[in-house]
């Protein structure tokens, strides 16, 4: 009898071992720490003494000089050396939202999250306050920059300064900047009340400018922002998103009335640096779910319509999934949509769980908090290596990750390894075209991701799959903190 029970135990043990080896538990806390470290690799300006990615050095210290203002600081958006404020502001809003929702689960990483936010908001404040009647929205000519392969530390391309004004409006970039400053003001409310008030005051001013002088920055700035970060969805979504964040930060009736006046919305099946409708709906649905406020019922309904377009078994689903289980929206940098939508899934699931709420997608599809949570977890786990290639799409996480990332600073030797300047064309041979791994590991960077067949070539020249970006990472910080805080330690 004893020997039989031993045999059963042994079989069970073998089964457990096999399962663990096939499906190692993701270390969400490690991934969270790395996802925040990535932002240090994107820093522009004078680096602080506690900079951990030592292969980066000071860069673009004189940004703004062509307009006689100081616009040093902020982030390079992706693998290039341009500062585009539209995606940078969205990055800041998402980092702030993640910290507001999941800060209690971040543990010691909350300090890093605040530092990442502040690096952006210090710069965005300069952009908003340096010249009356102007909002600076970018530094560096993208058309020139994209012809070069050089380290940010060596940059010798023209650092053209771009701005919007009442004569050349940019409601999209201005309202996103207002959203970023308003969301960040909530993050700093208790830890730095003075800074929080400065952020909120400027958020209100910038939003007023966006609302009073309506127009798209793509029209005002043309080839300086298109096709790179063209505002394809128009600016109504940013006006809604900005007002939603100001309402969250102030609770003022003024912003509630503004929200109502902005009228009917699109019903998208995407959420990104360009299209904010779904994010605004989830943000505003919180009032309906957590406060039982009937005035916000419309947003709850819209948030749930969005979820039904994402869920694979819903009759109204318009979302493809790869064979390996990854949400697949668009061929270029697909993970940006995966991370942003995953953020909405975990956050709405959290609101639902707090009130034991469920909803129906039709066709007998009942959606519980766990329905959304499990799809979100599947996406996070896929990104961290639970996929057909067993590859983590976060650089430096796990044993197998992208080595030839499309990123100038990472792919070129650091100043300490190669003190001589590398000019505009100097980086292509022997570095860009080399099959060697990047000499500097851009820890925590999440790349554009696999194709629709779960394939990934790990080719530096294939930017749509191998380029990291701040907004891909920023949206995943919240879900990583959520799962790090709920996973057994």
């Amino acid at each position: 009898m004893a020997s039989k029970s031993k045999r059963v135990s042994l079989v069970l043990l073998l089964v457990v071992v096999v399962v663990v080896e096939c499906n190692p538990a993701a270390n969400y806390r490690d991934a969270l720490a790395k996802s925040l470290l990535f932002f240090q690799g994107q820093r522009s300006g004078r680096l602080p003494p506690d900079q951990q990615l030592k292969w980066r050095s000071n860069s673009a210290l004189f940004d703004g000089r062509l307009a006689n203002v100081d616009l040093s600081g902020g982030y390079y958006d992706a693998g290039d050396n341009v500062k585009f404020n539209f995606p940078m502001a969205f990055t800041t809003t998402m980092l702030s939202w993640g910290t507001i929702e999941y800060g209690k689960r971040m543990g010691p990483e909350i300090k890093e999250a605040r530092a990442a936010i502040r690096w952006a908001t210090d710069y965005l404040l300069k952009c908003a306050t340096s010249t009356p009647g102007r909002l600076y929205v970018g530094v560096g000519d993208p058309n020139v920059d994209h012809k070069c392969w050089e380290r940010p530390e060596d940059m010798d391309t023209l650092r053209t300064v771009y701005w919007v004004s009442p004569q050349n409006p940019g409601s999209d970039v201005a309202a996103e900047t207002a959203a970023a400053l308003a969301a960040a003001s909530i993050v700093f409310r208790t830890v730095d009340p003075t800074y929080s008030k400065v952020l909120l005051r400027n958020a209100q001013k910038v939003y007023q400018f966006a609302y009073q002088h309506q127009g798209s920055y793509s029209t005002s700035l043309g080839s300086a922002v298109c096709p790179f970060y063209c505002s394809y969805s128009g600016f109504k979504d940013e006006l809604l998103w900005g007002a939603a964040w100001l309402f969250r930060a102030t609770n003022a009736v003024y912003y509630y009335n503004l929200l109502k006046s902005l009228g009917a919305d699109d019903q998208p099946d995407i959420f990104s640096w360009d299209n904010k409708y779904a994010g605004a709906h989830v943000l505003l649905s919180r009032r309906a779910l957590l406060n039982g406020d009937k005035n916000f019922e419309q947003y709850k309904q819209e948030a749930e319509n969005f979820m039904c377009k994402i869920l694979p078994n819903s009759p109204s689903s318009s979302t493809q999934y790869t064979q390996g289980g990854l949400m697949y929206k668009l061929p270029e940098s697909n993970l940006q949509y995966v991370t942003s939508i995953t953020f909405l899934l975990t956050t709405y699931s959290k609101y639902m769980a707090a009130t034991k709420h469920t909803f129906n997608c039709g066709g007998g599809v009942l959606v519980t908090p766990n329905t959304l949570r499990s799809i979100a977890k599947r996406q996070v786990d896929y990104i961290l290596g639970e996929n057909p290639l067993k590859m983590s799409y976060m650089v430096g996480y796990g044993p197998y990750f992208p080595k030839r990332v499309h990123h100038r600073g990472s792919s070129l030797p650091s100043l300490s390894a190669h003190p001589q300047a590398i000019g505009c064309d100097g980086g292509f041979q022997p570095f860009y075209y080399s099959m060697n791994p990047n000499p500097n590991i851009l820890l925590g960077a999440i790349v554009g991701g696999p194709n629709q067949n779960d394939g990934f070539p790990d080719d530096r020249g294939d930017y749509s799959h191998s380029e990291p970006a701040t907004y891909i990472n920023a949206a995943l910080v919240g879900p990583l903190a959520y799962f790090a805080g709920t996973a057994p330690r």
Side-chain angles (χ1 to χ4, degrees):
M1 191 70 188
S3 63
K4 186 179 175 188
S5 68
K6 272 184 190 161
R7 275 205 307 277
V8 170
S9 303
L10 192 61
V11 169
L12 283 173
L13 189 64
L14 284 170
V15 169
V16 169
V17 169
V18 169
V19 168
V20 168
E21 280 184 356
C22 293
N23 184 12
N27 185 341
Y28 302 115
R29 201 153 282 289
D30 180 45
L32 172 64
K34 286 177 171 143
S35 72
L36 287 164
L37 200 53
F38 158 73
F39 290 93
Q40 294 194 14
Q42 299 304 110
R43 282 171 170 171
S44 182
R46 189 174 300 283
L47 302 185
D50 62 356
Q51 169 82 9
Q52 291 173 72
L53 296 189
K54 297 295 185 190
W55 51 269
R56 280 296 323 281
S57 302
N58 298 339
S59 63
L61 296 180
F62 303 110
D63 275 2
R65 183 175 270 185
L66 291 176
N68 297 314
V69 290
D70 169 20
L71 298 179
S72 61
Y75 291 115
Y76 302 116
D77 71 296
D80 53 22
N81 298 329
V82 185
K83 294 192 309 207
F84 291 101
N85 286 26
F86 193 33
M88 196 197 306
F90 176 71
T91 292
T92 312
T93 311
M94 292 308 293
L95 275 174
S96 298
W97 196 3
T99 307
I100 293 163
E101 294 290 348
Y102 305 108
K104 289 191 171 73
R105 299 168 189 244
M106 284 182 178
E109 297 311 318
I110 188 138
K111 277 178 63 184
E112 296 304 324
R114 289 190 200 118
I117 294 163
R118 189 159 188 155
W119 194 266
T121 50
D122 283 352
Y123 166 76
L124 293 174
L125 283 172
K126 288 181 185 180
C127 292
T129 60
S130 291
T131 308
R134 272 186 194 179
L135 173 69
Y136 292 101
V137 298
V139 187
D141 182 331
N143 296 288
V144 176
D145 179 90
H146 287 184
K147 292 188 179 85
C148 297
W149 198 260
E150 60 185 342
R151 302 177 291 207
E153 292 82 1
D154 289 334
M155 214 184 328
D156 53 5
T157 52
L158 196 62
R159 299 299 283 172
T160 314
V161 179
Y162 302 99
W163 64 85
V164 292
S165 64
Q167 299 73 35
N168 294 290
S171 298
D172 25 37
V173 67
E176 182 58 72
T177 302
L181 297 174
S185 78
I186 302 170
V187 171
F188 291 103
R189 190 174 282 164
T190 54
V191 287
D192 192 339
T194 308
Y195 188 60
S196 173
K197 287 190 182 86
V198 171
L199 290 169
L200 186 55
R201 188 167 64 245
N202 283 289
Q204 291 173 305
K205 283 184 191 164
V206 175
Y207 187 85
Q208 212 49 41
F209 164 76
Y211 190 75
Q212 279 174 351
H213 307 286
Q214 293 191 14
S216 173
Y217 95 135
S218 304
T219 308
S220 295
L221 293 172
S223 66
V225 296
C226 293
F228 315 102
Y229 291 104
C230 221
S231 182
Y232 297 104
S233 68
F235 56 82
K236 278 280 166 68
D237 55 321
E238 278 82 25
L239 287 177
L240 181 77
W241 175 241
W245 273 111
L246 277 158
F247 181 68
R248 177 90 188 255
T250 62
N251 225 6
V253 175
Y254 173 77
Y255 293 109
Y256 169 74
N257 291 335
L258 248 180
L259 285 167
K260 290 296 173 191
S261 76
L262 288 166
D265 296 333
D266 277 17
Q267 291 285 309
D269 62 355
I270 208 152
F271 177 47
S272 70
W273 57 262
D274 181 34
N275 193 321
K276 319 289 162 53
Y277 283 116
H281 297 156
V282 169
L283 178 65
L284 292 165
S285 70
R286 181 176 173 273
R287 289 284 294 227
L289 280 167
L290 301 192
N291 303 49
D293 189 334
K294 291 280 181 259
N295 294 311
F296 290 80
E297 201 62 34
Q298 165 204 351
Y299 304 113
K300 175 166 85 75
Q301 195 49 59
E302 284 167 336
E304 290 172 5
N305 290 348
F306 172 79
M307 300 301 159
C308 292
K309 289 179 180 174
I310 302 303
L311 298 179
N313 58 344
S314 153
S316 56
S317 180
S318 55
T319 304
Q320 274 182 288
Y321 286 79
T322 67
Q323 205 69 43
L326 181 71
M327 210 180 277
Y328 194 80
K329 283 294 183 183
L330 287 165
E332 298 235 334
S333 189
N334 177 56
L335 286 188
Q336 65 175 305
Y337 309 109
V338 177
T339 61
S340 293
I341 291 169
T342 296
F343 184 100
L344 298 186
L345 290 170
T346 56
T347 304
Y348 201 72
S349 145
K350 184 179 154 225
Y351 297 164
M352 288 171 70
T355 52
K356 299 190 169 47
H357 176 69
T358 61
F359 64 93
N360 212 298
C361 283
V365 177
L366 178 72
V367 181
T368 68
N370 207 41
T371 313
L372 301 185
R373 186 180 180 276
S374 58
I375 288 181
K377 187 175 183 300
R378 179 77 198 89
Q379 301 311 300
V380 174
D381 290 348
Y382 185 108
I383 290 169
L384 296 181
E386 201 178 299
N387 55 55
L389 293 181
K390 297 284 174 266
M391 171 179 260
S392 155
Y393 291 101
M394 177 185 282
V395 174
Y397 177 90
Y400 185 38
F401 53 84
K403 299 290 199 297
R404 286 171 283 276
V405 177
H406 181 96
H407 188 277
R408 287 157 177 76
S410 170
S411 68
L412 295 162
S414 66
L415 278 180
S416 58
H418 188 291
Q420 302 81 9
I422 299 170
C424 170
D425 298 325
F428 289 106
Q429 289 290 5
F431 305 109
Y432 178 81
Y433 295 114
S434 156
M435 285 307 292
N436 292 334
N438 288 4
N440 308 309
I441 295 180
L442 186 59
L443 264 181
I446 302 168
V447 297
N451 61 29
Q452 65 198 86
N453 303 313
D454 298 298
F456 182 74
D458 197 11
D459 171 4
R460 197 177 290 116
D462 180 6
Y463 66 87
S464 68
H465 297 107
S466 69
E467 187 170 19
T470 54
Y471 41 88
I472 306 179
N473 267 64
L476 199 65
V477 166
L480 286 172
Y482 176 68
F483 291 118
T486 54
R489 283 188 185 73

